[in-house]
Amino acid sequence: MKTPSPRLVIVSARAPFVRTSNGIARAPGGLISALLPLMRRSRGTWIATGADRDPCDASEVPFRVRALSLPSEIRAAWYAGASNGALWPLAHGFLEVCRFRAEQARAYLEVCRAAADAAAEHAPRHAVVWVHDYQLALVPALLRARRPDLTIGFFWHIPWPAAESLRVLPWAAELVEGILGADLVGLHVPRYVRAFHDTLDELGVAYMSEGSSIVVPKGERTARIETWPIGVDVEGWASLGRDENVAAEAERIRSDLGGGRVLVSVDRMDYAKGIVERLEAFERLLEQSSEARERVTLVQIGVPSRETVAAYRELRQRIEATVGRIQGRFGSPRRKPVHLFARTLDATELAAYYLAADAAIVTPKRDGMNLVAFEYVATRPRPNGRLLLSTFAGAADVLSEAHLVNPYDEDGLASAIADVALAPETASDSARMAALKTRVSRLSVETWASGFLARLEQVTEERVPARERQMRLAASAPVSRAR
Ligand code: F6P
């Protein structure tokens, strides 16, 4: 793996370390585990704007962590308001949940400015700055204005919305201009790049298509939009899957659940994950099948999330009520058809559930990628088990051997759950899982992070002078239209 630039600066909403009751701990999540080794080698700076209540510096790591301290009302208006009350539902197609308020947009700009100021202050000359996600989309252009010498990458980790949806955002043009401050913009799968293409058309921004990439001339430079599918820490999950203690725990889980068929779902409690719809489909299966009533258990691990946002608090109540209803209808003192764990499980605990499960049910209504699908596949030491995956997860574009399902199709979802839960496993299932394991191995999160950074340095080295770009653009057919 190439050694990253010694001048790498990461900008993200979440900090890599958080304070817990047991001291300082590494923050959870695949992104943090992918970026930490890069940062350790580069000895750069990690700037976090403070989505965490208690972000912190960690003196024992060989790089600087700069956790910005923002006034709590600004942080709330940026994180709960503009980011998770507006951009998140917009990108996931939940327009009725979106709320756009001017003071939240101002807070969003203020936080992006603070992040850009910190990056401008800490980045050495000609450093590489990698900005992450929808919470900080204005940072690239703000930073570019402060420090034109920098190489700037940006990754949008969630779906890129349809052009028609983006029109509801009062500051859509500013959002896109902010992102285009980057030299390289990463999206997970080709359908998001196609949607970005439509957005540029809608906004009347001129661009060129180069293969599957988009190139937008910006004065003396260009912004390039490309597909960079993220993955997981494949070896980390695989080694948990081979661990004897994890295997023993998986056996215990299976026996505690009565020795029948086990289904597992793991999600942040987010309306985009389709948890209530999945539970209702499972309820329908229990109504229809005595075999399912006797033998199938669904373990739903629901990580509490964003509870300062009303839509998330309401969702948690709906999930708990639905589980309670199913239990009331189909449970008994000896048997519980659904187990809900409303808490965060660590990787070792999760791996035991992945091993215990005959199938993972990953049925978001919309999801940028969905790494649970990858984790389930990576953890299994042998090519067994089944993955039921929503066609509306980015992962469906890369994990084509999964059992694909449309989570909006209520009967289709119930019958797909019945198939993966009850049909005996065949040679075709094992061939599918073997193919999935190969795909997941090729898409590790380390490869994603180092590949994106290498590409970022390459595209800036290869900068075609702006004048030449403009001439090439003028020579090609008109590709943009006014709004
Ligand atoms: O993948 C999208 C994302 O928002 C990440 O940016 C974030 O780390 C994760 O989901 C969890 O969300 P939050 O940081 O709001 O808990």
Side-chain angles (χ1 to χ4, degrees):
M1 190 189 289
K2 194 183 163 210
T3 303
S5 160
R7 304 172 310 275
L8 178 61
V9 176
I10 300 282
V11 184
S12 67
R14 291 215 173 254
F17 303 100
V18 284
R19 221 176 289 283
T20 69
S21 46
N22 299 326
I24 291 174
R26 206 187 80 176
L31 183 65
I32 304 283
S33 43
L35 297 178
L36 276 181
L38 291 172
M39 285 303 276
R40 285 204 165 92
R41 289 206 301 280
S42 94
R43 298 173 173 267
T45 304
W46 190 313
I47 294 162
T49 46
D52 310 274
R53 247 170 298 129
D54 218 354
C56 58
D57 296 358
S59 48
E60 76 279 11
V61 289
F63 59 88
R64 267 183 302 191
V65 179
R66 180 76 218 288
L68 303 188
S69 90
L70 301 163
S72 59
E73 66 285 1
I74 295 293
R75 192 177 68 194
W78 157 71
Y79 178 74
S83 299
N84 292 316
L87 292 178
W88 176 275
L90 172 63
H92 289 80
F94 292 82
L95 298 190
E96 73 286 2
V97 179
C98 292
R99 294 289 175 272
F100 303 113
R101 304 240 166 84
E103 98 262 9
Q104 295 175 346
R106 280 194 293 275
Y108 187 88
L109 176 60
E110 191 171 326
V111 173
C112 289
R113 275 196 185 129
D117 287 342
E121 183 192 334
H122 289 280
R125 199 160 163 67
H126 298 301
V128 173
V129 180
W130 192 3
V131 183
H132 287 272
D133 228 351
Y134 64 99
Q135 304 95 337
L136 296 169
L138 303 180
V139 174
L142 293 166
L143 182 56
R144 171 83 50 202
R146 288 156 174 72
R147 292 285 306 276
D149 62 295
L150 297 174
T151 292
I152 304 174
F154 176 72
F155 207 94
W156 178 270
H157 289 264
I158 61 176
W160 187 261
E164 189 67 9
S165 304
L166 193 61
R167 286 177 63 182
V168 306
L169 177 69
W171 39 285
E174 288 82 353
L175 179 86
V176 172
E177 272 310 303
I179 291 172
L180 293 177
D183 297 294
L184 179 63
V185 176
L187 299 166
H188 286 309
V189 290
R191 62 180 138 141
Y192 304 155
V193 174
R194 288 195 293 274
F196 201 92
H197 190 288
D198 295 343
T199 293
L200 295 177
D201 281 346
E202 178 78 24
L203 294 174
V205 176
Y207 64 90
M208 290 178 299
S209 295
E210 280 186 9
S212 55
S213 312
I214 303 172
V215 181
V216 182
K218 298 295 290 177
E220 293 298 307
R221 62 176 193 93
T222 60
R224 184 176 271 273
I225 295 90
E226 292 188 352
T227 302
W228 282 89
I230 199 170
V232 294
D233 173 7
V234 179
E235 192 32 50
W237 287 103
S239 80
L240 285 172
R242 291 190 297 263
D243 187 307
E244 283 175 11
N245 296 325
V246 174
E249 180 57 21
E251 273 314 307
R252 260 193 301 278
I253 291 169
R254 287 186 68 85
S255 118
D256 288 351
L257 293 176
R261 306 283 290 170
V262 177
L263 308 176
V264 70
S265 294
V266 182
D267 310 91
R268 275 187 312 100
M269 284 201 251
D270 191 303
Y271 47 81
K273 304 288 181 181
I275 302 171
V276 172
E277 294 75 4
R278 175 188 311 147
L279 290 167
E280 288 173 352
F282 186 63
E283 184 176 19
R284 202 158 313 115
L285 169 62
L286 296 177
E287 279 164 8
Q288 292 162 359
S289 158
S290 59
E291 190 185 359
R293 284 196 294 278
E294 281 154 27
R295 294 185 57 220
V296 183
T297 305
L298 171 62
V299 177
Q300 171 69 61
I301 296 160
V303 179
S305 180
R306 304 178 185 167
E307 293 195 321
T308 53
V309 183
Y312 287 78
R313 289 194 298 277
E314 286 156 19
L315 175 74
R316 181 170 178 169
Q317 285 168 5
R318 279 186 68 206
I319 292 171
E320 289 172 348
T322 309
V323 169
R325 186 183 65 229
I326 297 173
Q327 183 58 23
R329 290 185 67 195
F330 299 103
S332 73
R334 279 169 294 104
R335 183 162 146 65
K336 222 171 153 187
V338 183
H339 290 252
L340 170 67
F341 300 128
R343 59 174 190 269
T344 304
L345 267 55
D346 67 26
T348 310
E349 293 172 295
L350 277 180
Y353 280 100
Y354 290 146
L355 281 192
D358 296 291
I361 312 294
V362 183
T363 55
K365 294 170 93 174
R366 197 106 161 90
D367 211 336
M369 184 56 113
N370 194 297
L371 297 180
V372 168
F374 287 69
E375 290 170 4
Y376 176 73
V377 171
T379 304
R380 306 190 74 71
R382 283 177 296 286
N384 58 11
R386 291 178 173 130
L387 173 63
L388 180 63
L389 181 59
S390 162
T391 54
F392 296 104
D397 293 22
V398 286
L399 301 180
S400 45
E401 289 82 7
H403 296 259
L404 296 177
V405 68
N406 171 2
Y408 289 86
D409 173 0
E410 297 184 359
D411 295 318
L413 181 54
S415 93
I417 295 175
D419 288 346
V420 296
L422 294 171
E425 276 192 32
T426 63
S428 138
D429 287 304
S430 126
R432 285 170 97 138
M433 186 52 74
L436 288 171
K437 288 183 76 61
T438 306
R439 290 193 190 278
V440 166
S441 302
R442 287 194 191 129
L443 283 176
S444 81
V445 71
E446 296 83 5
T447 312
W448 168 81
S450 55
F452 184 89
L453 284 173
R455 178 72 176 138
L456 175 57
E457 300 217 37
Q458 185 193 20
V459 298
T460 42
E461 274 157 24
E462 282 172 2
R463 269 178 196 163
V464 178
R467 196 181 302 266
E468 192 185 322
R469 287 265 169 205
Q470 296 293 1
M471 283 163 54
R472 283 165 59 184
L473 184 64
S476 65
V479 287
S480 63
R481 61 173 192 272
R483 189 201 278 264

